[in-house]
Amino acid sequence: MDTVRTRLTQSPSVGGAEDEDAGGAQRVEMRFVTREEEEAGQSSDITALVLPYRHGYRRASVFLCVCMVVVVFVIAFLLAYAVFGARLHCSQVKGLGEEDEERGGGAKPPAEGGAGLYLGELRVMMRRLLQDEDIHDTVSRVSRANHPPGSSEGTSLASEILRRFRLLQMDHTWTESLYATLQFPHRSQRSSLSLVDSTGLISEQISLNPSDFCPYSATGSATGGVVYANYGRPEDFNWLKSAGVSVVGCVVVMRVGGGVSFAEKVWLAEKSGASGALIYPDPADLPQDPRRLGLNAHTAVSEHVHLGSGDPFTPGFPSFNHTQFPSIQSSGLPLIPALPISATVAAKLLSQLSGPSCPSSWRSRLPYVRCVVGPEFSSGRRVKMSVHNVMTPVLLNNIFSSLEGRDEPDQYIILGAQRDSLGPGAVKSGVGTAILLELARTFSAMVKNGFSPRRSLLFVSWDGGDFGNVGATEWLEGYLSMLHLKAVAYFSLDQAIMGDDVLSAFSSPLLVDLLDAAIRQVEHPRHAGQTIFSQAEREGGSWRIMKPLYLNSGAYSFTAFAGVPAMELRFTEERAYPFVNTPLDTTSRLQEVLGGRLGVTGRSLGELVGEMVLRLAHDHILPLRIDSYAQAVLQFSAQLNKHSAELQSRGLSPQWVFSARGDYSRAAETLQRAIDNSDLHDPTTARFYNTRIMRVEYYFLSQYVSVVETPFRHVIHGRGDHTLSALAEHLALLTSDPEHFDEKRFRRQLAFFTWTLQGAANALTGDVWSIHNTYTFTH
């Protein structure tokens, strides 16, 4: 296997392949001629040997037999060489036909099937077919105007993408429509921000852009003092509490960024007792010099504030028909109003604050603003904010197109991208849509030219992404009971290009080996001659590429809600791309950031995703790292061990967690050994193991919490009291704040997590007679 793998990874470059093809064809033809001449020549020589020695019959017969064996061997060798050479030649030159045929794609494979193409040959074919010209054109088309869900521009774009999928002659192309409740600004009553005096009369009206809003904000008004809370992270609110600054009844001003979504900022502000939230882009985080590709100081950044995904009025179940399902409000909807404001408005508010000084790490770059946290305001004035948004049912359209697999067609490798955008959305929706269509065209053309994937490929254009991945989440909710049996992996192409230098992969740990192999194959878009891996190693290590999934990621719901391994890839710059979620997210600005290399960078990202898709579609056994979660649990086990004496004094034993972790590690190792020692070319055997591998992510969805009340049930990536992170935070209270350690709650958390982990170990082991659990009764 190592020999075969070495040969495949040293496949010739695209340019060199053409020269070898031509030479290979000549050699094959010459071999056939030589073989025929050699057969004739050998036959004559044998006759000449036999005739002069008729009377030495026995000796001649022996010599004749030896010669014939030699001739047969030579002929067999030459025939094998000619057949293999011709096959290699055909596999390399297929796909070099007319450009119109390639672009037309065509999902039906040739009569021969092409099932035996090597991975190296498929890699060469994919690189040859991938193009960068259409990527720029598609991004320009998608981002030519605002295209929110339900708008005429959004509907027109959906029709165009459906048409482009159909032109590729895929095996299946269809749409799925649903009504979801979205929130938009009121058409006649605008949201407002003002300063009021001690009697409540407006002393100054602050100008806002009426198109700037936070979808799913609570409506109504809030009045109070102002508190500056940095990024609005948990540690920021903890610092305010420790400094004796109360946010109760105040309007909290927070900066964009800090690794915290708008929804998390507003939720934490509400949890701390705030009456309202204002969020602004600080020049320290997002460049704001228009002469150097920055925001102008009057631009706000908009983002939804629903602490979840999908339609917040159908949490945990699909939004197929609102007339038949009662409306249930998501617990992630905020109860306080929230507004996005510009840096100019933030400076006006923060420059009038008094109160304790803030930490040096909180210092902003707003002009004429001292770093104080409030809540006192000059002249005894207060801030009043009013939000007037309305909920509206909107028809969403998800568009699907698929290529059927040869051996396991009911197993899907899914690629998806958000299509809608409240603004132009060059990065938000244009880039992902362009790469999605280019990969669909490429794989369709590969199928026409001999590629026959083992598993099906599913390409999806999602609607409602700007409101919390509504289209994708509703689809997941509709097929939740079957996806863990069919979905191999999901690749989100959302916001894939915000630069061309640093690659980040927000991913499930199960896909880490797949990514590691891919970055060793793909050339870096900025550094010619260097792979992404080698460039990452030069800059501190390829391990920096892997990052945990985050709430607003297009991949998050697939893993945290549905238990499907998912990944979202992104190229960025050291200097942040400041235009996402603003009216300035246009193709021209993105091209300027990239130095005109949008197509090249998009092609590199597409090739990287294509490499991983090829492996998943080609390999007999799915290349997922099934033991990856054992390491995360091991780190928590070390924390438990530090507190073991204190826990035991409270009658709590960490031994259950240690045992479950050991069982999971052993089950993963046993399964891997069984795979290594099996005949993986046997379809039944491969199917048996792949079914177990595909369910590993699903095993980490807690069965002990409600999908309606706690949709993100994954104990590692999810949100809620059942997760490993919540358990670790609670454990830390033993030393940091023992009075707030809740023993009853901790027992429940520990039990839920332990049994989820033990269940994953049992499921991975397989047969019930192979499971050996030992439980000790303790009082």
Side-chain angles (χ1 to χ4, degrees):
M1 179 61 74
D2 291 338
T3 305
V4 174
R5 186 176 292 113
T6 301
R7 186 184 76 79
L8 296 179
T9 55
Q10 294 177 343
S11 300
S13 63
V14 174
E18 294 174 358
D19 297 335
E20 290 182 14
D21 288 347
Q26 285 184 339
R27 286 194 297 273
V28 171
E29 185 177 354
M30 289 173 64
R31 289 295 183 186
F32 277 123
V33 173
T34 303
R35 180 178 60 80
E36 292 167 359
E37 292 175 354
E38 192 168 29
E39 286 183 88
Q42 291 286 358
S43 180
S44 299
D45 291 342
I46 292 170
T47 305
L49 283 170
V50 174
L51 286 175
Y53 297 99
R54 291 176 184 273
H55 304 292
Y57 180 81
R58 184 183 300 274
R59 182 179 178 186
S61 297
V62 173
F63 191 80
L64 176 62
C65 290
V66 172
C67 291
M68 290 186 69
V69 169
V70 172
V71 170
V72 170
F73 176 82
V74 171
I75 292 173
F77 176 82
L78 293 176
L79 279 172
Y81 182 88
V83 170
F84 179 80
R87 180 189 175 284
L88 180 60
H89 169 72
C90 291
S91 67
Q92 289 179 335
V93 299
K94 277 182 179 181
L96 292 178
E98 296 180 2
E99 183 178 349
D100 290 341
E101 290 183 0
E102 290 179 1
R103 298 183 70 81
K108 299 304 178 185
E112 297 300 321
L117 289 175
Y118 287 109
L119 183 62
E121 298 169 322
L122 294 172
R123 184 175 289 136
V124 170
M125 186 191 297
M126 182 185 70
R127 289 172 180 168
R128 184 172 297 151
L129 291 171
L130 267 174
Q131 298 177 2
D132 53 49
E133 294 90 348
D134 278 355
I135 291 178
H136 174 270
D137 294 341
T138 302
V139 174
S140 298
R141 162 62 189 93
V142 171
S143 61
R144 71 184 181 188
N146 300 352
H147 46 284
S151 65
S152 57
E153 184 66 23
T155 303
S156 173
L157 180 60
S159 298
E160 185 172 332
I161 290 173
L162 178 62
R163 178 185 61 82
R164 290 184 64 172
F165 273 139
R166 284 174 173 164
L167 285 175
L168 296 178
Q169 301 174 24
M170 307 282 272
D171 288 323
H172 308 282
T173 297
W174 72 101
T175 64
E176 288 189 7
S177 301
L178 59 104
Y179 276 95
T181 302
L182 308 183
Q183 191 188 59
F184 293 93
H186 196 285
R187 291 186 177 182
S188 58
Q189 196 172 7
R190 294 184 175 183
S191 297
S192 62
L193 183 66
S194 58
L195 300 179
V196 298
D197 60 24
S198 57
T199 64
L201 297 176
I202 295 176
S203 61
E204 182 180 356
Q205 189 74 45
I206 300 175
S207 177
L208 298 177
N209 186 333
S211 63
D212 295 334
F213 76 113
C214 290
Y216 297 126
S217 165
T219 56
S221 300
T223 305
V226 173
V227 174
Y228 171 55
N230 196 27
Y231 292 112
R233 301 168 300 185
E235 57 265 37
D236 296 330
F237 283 103
N238 288 338
W239 186 91
L240 288 170
K241 183 178 179 181
S242 67
V245 178
S246 173
V247 302
V248 175
C250 294
V251 174
V252 178
V253 177
M254 298 169 281
R255 293 156 61 168
V256 172
V260 187
S261 69
F262 277 34
E264 292 166 301
K265 295 175 193 291
V266 175
W267 178 74
L268 287 167
E270 177 189 314
K271 186 179 177 183
S272 299
S275 62
L278 300 172
I279 305 171
Y280 79 97
D282 195 280
D285 308 305
L286 297 176
Q288 297 196 12
D289 182 356
R291 296 168 298 179
R292 298 184 60 246
L293 284 176
L295 291 176
N296 64 60
H298 302 287
T299 301
V301 177
S302 297
E303 187 176 297
H304 79 89
V305 291
H306 173 214
L307 191 66
S309 63
D311 186 339
F313 294 95
T314 59
F317 55 92
S319 184
F320 286 156
N321 192 329
H322 278 203
T323 63
Q324 294 184 17
F325 292 98
S327 179
I328 301 175
Q329 185 166 308
S330 167
S331 59
L333 282 175
L335 301 178
I336 62 174
L339 276 175
I341 59 174
S342 67
T344 299
V345 173
K348 176 184 284 291
L349 298 177
L350 298 181
S351 63
Q352 301 182 57
L353 282 186
S354 59
S357 296
C358 63
S360 58
S361 60
W362 288 26
R363 295 188 185 279
S364 72
R365 291 185 184 171
L366 294 173
Y368 312 113
V369 173
R370 296 180 302 113
C371 193
V372 294
V373 296
E376 290 81 13
F377 214 60
S378 63
S379 306
R381 294 191 295 180
R382 295 177 297 166
V383 167
K384 180 178 181 179
M385 59 180 295
S386 298
V387 173
H388 301 288
N389 297 338
V390 291
M391 298 291 183
T392 306
V394 176
L395 181 65
L396 303 183
N397 294 289
N398 295 327
I399 304 171
F400 301 81
S401 199
S402 67
L403 295 168
E404 274 196 42
R406 178 187 77 252
D407 299 317
E408 298 173 290
D410 59 335
Q411 294 184 354
Y412 318 137
I413 303 155
I414 311 173
L415 300 88
Q418 170 184 332
R419 185 180 66 251
D420 65 291
S421 176
L422 291 170
V427 163
K428 198 68 187 290
S429 63
V431 165
T433 299
I435 297 174
L436 177 74
L437 291 173
E438 180 58 22
L439 284 170
R441 185 198 63 78
T442 298
F443 279 106
S444 175
M446 288 176 66
V447 168
K448 183 178 181 181
N449 286 286
F451 175 40
S452 186
R454 296 181 61 85
R455 302 172 184 93
S456 297
L457 307 183
L458 182 59
F459 303 87
V460 194
S461 175
W462 303 113
D463 206 354
D466 258 4
F467 293 80
N469 301 302
V470 176
T473 303
E474 295 306 314
W475 183 75
L476 288 174
E477 289 172 344
Y479 297 95
L480 184 62
S481 61
M482 59 176 276
L483 276 177
H484 67 286
L485 302 173
K486 295 180 179 293
V488 174
Y490 176 72
F491 295 94
S492 169
L493 303 173
D494 292 344
Q495 304 180 56
I497 301 173
M498 302 170 73
D500 65 352
D501 190 14
V502 180
L503 177 70
S504 297
F506 306 92
S507 177
S508 159
L510 268 66
L511 301 173
V512 62
D513 287 346
L514 197 64
L515 177 67
D516 183 68
I519 62 176
R520 296 170 188 266
Q521 293 291 333
V522 179
E523 185 175 82
H524 196 285
R526 177 181 287 186
H527 304 281
Q530 297 288 330
T531 63
I532 296 173
F533 172 81
S534 61
Q535 186 61 32
E537 287 294 302
R538 287 168 179 251
E539 297 176 354
S542 59
W543 60 271
R544 296 173 181 268
I545 292 175
M546 289 292 296
K547 293 177 172 59
L549 291 164
Y550 62 98
L551 180 62
N552 271 1
S553 162
Y556 183 79
S557 292
F558 278 82
T559 297
F561 174 73
V564 175
M567 177 185 293
E568 184 168 282
L569 293 159
R570 182 168 303 146
F571 272 118
T572 59
E573 303 278 333
E574 184 177 348
R575 185 173 184 261
Y577 180 85
F579 306 116
V580 176
N581 292 321
T582 75
L584 305 179
D585 184 16
T586 61
T587 306
S588 60
R589 287 186 174 88
L590 179 58
Q591 271 286 51
E592 195 170 349
V593 167
L594 295 169
R597 296 167 49 81
L598 173 56
V600 173
T601 309
R603 186 188 183 282
S604 293
L605 197 289
E607 184 181 342
L608 184 59
V609 174
E611 283 282 343
M612 293 185 280
V613 171
L614 272 182
R615 284 285 309 281
L616 291 171
H618 172 274
D619 288 7
H620 288 267
I621 293 296
L622 294 170
L624 304 182
R625 184 188 283 186
I626 56 178
D627 64 346
S628 58
Y629 284 119
Q631 185 61 34
V633 181
L634 180 61
Q635 294 173 0
F636 174 69
S637 298
Q639 296 179 46
L640 273 178
N641 211 28
K642 292 179 182 178
H643 299 282
S644 59
E646 176 67 21
L647 289 172
Q648 289 176 1
S649 70
R650 295 170 178 263
L652 291 165
S653 172
Q655 187 58 42
W656 286 7
V657 178
F658 300 157
S659 176
R661 188 200 70 81
D663 287 346
Y664 180 80
S665 297
R666 285 188 291 274
E669 292 169 1
T670 301
L671 177 57
Q672 191 59 58
R673 280 196 303 270
I675 292 172
D676 294 340
N677 296 324
S678 299
D679 177 13
L680 303 182
H681 292 279
D682 175 44
T684 304
T685 302
R687 177 80 177 184
F688 171 73
Y689 287 126
N690 283 332
T691 300
R692 291 167 68 182
I693 292 171
M694 283 176 59
R695 295 179 183 177
V696 170
E697 197 80 74
Y698 181 79
Y699 296 152
F700 283 88
L701 297 184
S702 176
Q703 305 301 309
Y704 308 105
V705 293
S706 165
V707 69
V708 174
E709 297 174 1
T710 311
F712 302 127
R713 294 179 295 146
H714 202 291
V715 295
I716 306 296
H717 302 291
R719 296 184 62 87
D721 228 28
H722 64 287
T723 62
L724 182 60
S725 60
L727 187 57
E729 288 174 8
H730 198 171
L731 179 65
L733 293 178
L734 273 175
T735 52
S736 64
D737 193 1
E739 291 184 1
H740 286 87
F741 181 82
D742 186 337
E743 183 177 317
K744 183 177 180 180
R745 175 186 165 218
F746 187 81
R747 284 179 180 274
R748 181 182 177 88
Q749 287 178 297
L750 192 64
F752 281 4
F753 176 77
T754 302
W755 271 109
T756 301
L757 181 61
Q758 187 64 59
N762 293 348
L764 205 59
T765 299
D767 301 315
V768 292
W769 49 81
S770 301
I771 300 171
H772 303 287
N773 289 331
T774 302
Y775 307 109
T776 303
F777 176 77
T778 57
H779 293 282

